[in-house]
Amino acid sequence: MRQGFAHQAVLDMAPDDDSGAPGAAITTVLCGHWDHAPPCPVAPHHTSAERSGDEVRLRILFATEPHLEERVRQDIDRALARGELVGPDGRTSRWRLLGSRPVEPSEQETEHLARLTRA
């Protein structure tokens, strides 16, 4: 049975790079491509990004079976460690991973995680 998890990452990213690119990179690693038909094969997920200058904070919510949790977290880190993604417009966005770690879901994220576990 799927459970909901949260992960947080901090990136260094130039202001003119697409802050959505790291989320697309995560989806590409987890699902094969950022533009895929549902459902996500391993872990339904959602990535939000908050930018402050050159710093981008990512919050990744995902649902998976408990025995796959560590694999999904490693896949997230692998996607972010690549540090770049070529978008659909052909433009390359680049970043540097400053840190990544598991976090407890916030109270506000509980409903979203419940939806992901049912996906």
Side-chain angles (χ1 to χ4, degrees), residues 18-29:
D18 179 5
S19 63
I26 292 168
T27 300
T28 298
V29 168

Side-chain angles (χ1 to χ4, degrees), residues 2-3 6 12 14 19 22-23 28 31-32 34-35 37 43-44 48-49 52 62 69 75 80 85 88 92 97 100 113:
R2 285 185 180 151
Q3 292 181 7
D12 178 42
S19 63
T28 298
C31 305
W34 68 74
D35 186 19
S48 61
S52 178
F62 65 93
E69 175 191 1
D75 286 346
L80 296 176
L85 181 83
T92 301
L97 178 60
S100 177
L113 282 170

Side-chain angles (χ1 to χ4, degrees), residues 32-65:
H33 196 274
W34 68 74
D35 186 19
H36 69 89
C40 296
V42 176
H45 60 282
H46 171 78
T47 303
S48 61
E50 274 188 35
R51 180 186 286 279
S52 178
D54 286 347
E55 185 178 277
V56 176
R57 292 189 170 276
L58 300 179
R59 189 82 172 177
I60 304 103
L61 303 178
F62 65 93
T64 195
E65 288 75 18

Side-chain angles (χ1 to χ4, degrees), residues 7 29 69-79:
H7 199 85
V29 168
E69 175 191 1
E70 189 56 36
R71 172 189 164 194
V72 172
R73 291 188 191 281
Q74 289 172 355
D75 286 346
I76 290 168
D77 287 344
R78 184 166 47 94

